[in-house]
Amino acid sequence: MHRPLLHPDAPPSPSKIECEAERLFRALLHVDCEPGRTWDYEACHRIAPLTLEINRLKKEKDAVILTHSYVEPEIIYGVGDFKGDSYFLSLQAREAKAKVIVFAGVVFMGETAKILSPGATVVVPDRGSGCSLADSLTGDQLRKLKAAYPDAAVVCYINSTAEVKAESDVCVTSGNAYDIVARLPQRRILFVPDRLMGENLRIELKRRGVDKEIITSDGTCIVHDVFDAKSVAEARVRFPGLKVVAHPECTPEVAAAADFVGSTGAMMKYVKQTAAPYFLMLTECGLVGRLQVEAPEKHFIGGCRLCPYMKLNSLEKIHEALAAPRPDQIILLDEGLRHRALRSIERMFELTPKT
Ligand code: 13P
Ligand code: SF4
């Protein structure tokens, strides 16, 4: 939390900084910044010159900042324009009219934004912000799998590279995968790159009475694949009335042990609408941060995990990417590849049930 002070050419006045520090403090006061410690006014005062400068630059550059719910809350509530899950942020990227899109998330999300908004300059704060799922499968590997299952519909989870999207019939997110796969005419589905989500999909479709054969590749999310059902059972003994909330990237055993399984957006909605003494969030800790801001009356018992890729985002790097992006921060895609990847994402929008 000890950040260097920013010294822009014309530094904001002390009263402007105080005003910004108060705004940040009001948003962040219930959020853990370290285990057992929440944000204090001093920490907010320290980052206020930077959030002021980023928000000023956004106007100057005609930029919009999209923030996934897993990034640090000072980014989401300090400088973000839109916050949410992968599906919601894809919609925002498609609708964006801004000249610059800063994607505070991971690289595949920035690529998706570029696929949907080719006219905008899309930047990511840190090019190293990969994803164990997206990085588990190349376009070449998918081409080989397709050759082995030529009759299968190819469904890619959005946590995949642009190349994999370009090889797929339809893209899905954690929020619409069941509905989209159920609607596809093919019985055989090649689902990539998340093996565990594929297994959860198989189980859920069977439960809904939908007859599909799901073949998967072997990727997993390094954040979600380590939660275990035994710890869930132990937590239920220690915290009577506990509600357990899991992401579909968890194992089927964990999904079966949870009270609710859904996308990060659906998990937030569930917690806000559910009365329970405690919640165990089997997902990335950023989501707990968002809930501490938006549902401060709820109690969380820990157990969440950090995504090392999402945590590469910072206010300082967002500032760099906005002020003068380095070439590695700018997402560029071959136009032919972009067009082919766009088809699978557009198909997702067509097949997602309208709520
Ligand atoms: P959501 O689409 O549910 O936000 O998931 C993104 C992600 O990376 C989960 O690990
Ligand atoms: Fe990828 Fe998992 Fe991180 Fe999500 S939480 S970005 S799936 S590594």
Side-chain angles (χ1 to χ4, degrees):
M1 215 45 65
H2 296 285
R3 296 170 185 282
L5 264 176
L6 186 84
H7 296 287
D9 294 341
S13 65
S15 66
K16 218 171 166 191
I17 294 174
E18 267 168 36
C19 200
E20 176 70 348
E22 265 178 49
R23 179 184 79 85
L24 294 168
F25 183 56
R26 272 199 301 274
L28 301 175
L29 82 167
H30 296 293
V31 179
D32 296 325
C33 58
E34 284 165 19
R37 200 168 76 80
T38 50
W39 277 78
D40 55 25
Y41 178 81
E42 205 183 272
C44 293
H45 197 272
R46 213 175 299 125
I47 64 167
L50 190 47
T51 56
L52 278 172
E53 176 59 5
I54 292 171
N55 287 324
R56 185 194 71 74
L57 273 171
K58 272 196 317 197
K59 288 195 194 116
E60 184 186 295
K61 307 259 175 180
D62 186 14
V64 69
I65 302 185
L66 307 186
T67 59
H68 188 267
S69 297
Y70 288 166
V71 302
E72 298 285 8
E74 69 269 27
I75 298 176
I76 298 176
Y77 299 98
V79 300
D81 295 298
F82 296 98
K83 51 187 178 296
D85 62 18
S86 309
Y87 186 74
F88 174 78
L89 294 175
S90 307
L91 286 173
Q92 300 315 314
R94 184 167 72 156
E95 301 304 314
K97 302 277 178 285
K99 284 196 185 123
V100 179
I101 298 175
V102 181
F103 212 123
V106 290
V107 169
F108 79 78
M109 296 178 177
E111 278 187 356
T112 307
K114 184 68 184 175
I115 294 166
L116 289 162
S117 256
T121 301
V122 177
V123 294
V124 290
D126 192 314
R127 195 54 184 238
S129 56
C131 164
S132 64
L133 281 172
D135 298 341
S136 72
L137 189 73
T138 64
D140 253 353
Q141 288 167 325
L142 179 52
R143 279 188 284 278
K144 283 188 188 121
L145 274 173
K146 280 169 67 172
Y149 301 99
D151 59 332
V154 182
V155 180
C156 69
Y157 184 31
I158 198 164
N159 295 39
S160 54
T161 61
E163 237 201 318
V164 163
K165 289 185 177 80
E167 289 292 330
S168 301
D169 297 312
V170 59
C171 177
V172 298
T173 69
S174 53
N176 56 27
Y178 303 107
D179 291 317
I180 290 181
V181 171
R183 284 178 174 196
L184 293 176
Q186 294 90 336
R187 184 180 168 276
R188 184 177 262 187
I189 308 292
L190 179 53
F191 183 81
V192 295
D194 190 343
R195 175 171 54 81
L196 296 176
M197 188 179 285
E199 286 172 17
N200 285 320
L201 197 56
R202 190 182 295 136
I203 293 165
E204 178 60 17
L205 289 169
K206 196 168 173 202
R207 194 188 65 80
R208 293 187 193 186
V210 181
D211 177 34
K212 297 281 179 192
E213 180 191 1
I214 311 279
I215 297 149
T216 65
S217 62
D218 199 25
T220 60
C221 162
I222 53 165
V223 175
H224 291 92
D225 69 358
V226 289
F227 294 120
D228 69 285
K230 189 165 161 272
S231 310
V232 172
E234 285 165 5
R236 285 198 192 277
V237 175
R238 285 185 59 210
F239 298 93
L242 177 74
K243 291 287 183 203
V244 180
V245 186
H247 194 274
E249 290 167 12
C250 293
T251 65
E253 294 72 31
V254 166
D259 296 288
F260 181 81
V261 181
S263 67
T264 53
M267 289 162 105
M268 278 203 68
K269 199 168 163 199
Y270 173 82
V271 172
K272 285 180 179 178
Q273 291 176 347
T274 303
Y278 305 101
F279 291 90
L280 171 60
M281 304 300 292
L282 300 178
T283 191
E284 215 279 344
C285 299
L287 198 71
V288 178
R290 271 204 65 189
L291 283 161
Q292 285 172 329
V293 171
E294 295 180 32
E297 72 286 2
K298 307 282 180 182
H299 298 287
F300 303 96
I301 63 160
C304 63
R305 287 175 52 87
L306 296 174
C307 171
Y309 306 111
M310 288 283 182
K311 265 39 198 185
L312 286 174
N313 288 277
S314 67
L315 287 174
E316 289 80 2
K317 291 179 197 172
I318 289 173
H319 177 256
E320 270 172 18
L322 250 184
R326 292 188 311 273
D328 63 280
Q329 290 173 312
I330 303 172
I331 303 280
L332 296 175
L333 292 173
D334 168 82
E335 190 52 17
L337 176 83
R338 189 193 71 77
H339 255 283
R340 283 185 289 126
L342 180 63
R343 281 203 309 250
S344 65
I345 303 176
E346 288 294 359
R347 185 113 194 266
M348 168 177 81
F349 289 132
E350 281 159 34
L351 290 176
T352 300
K354 309 286 172 275
T355 47

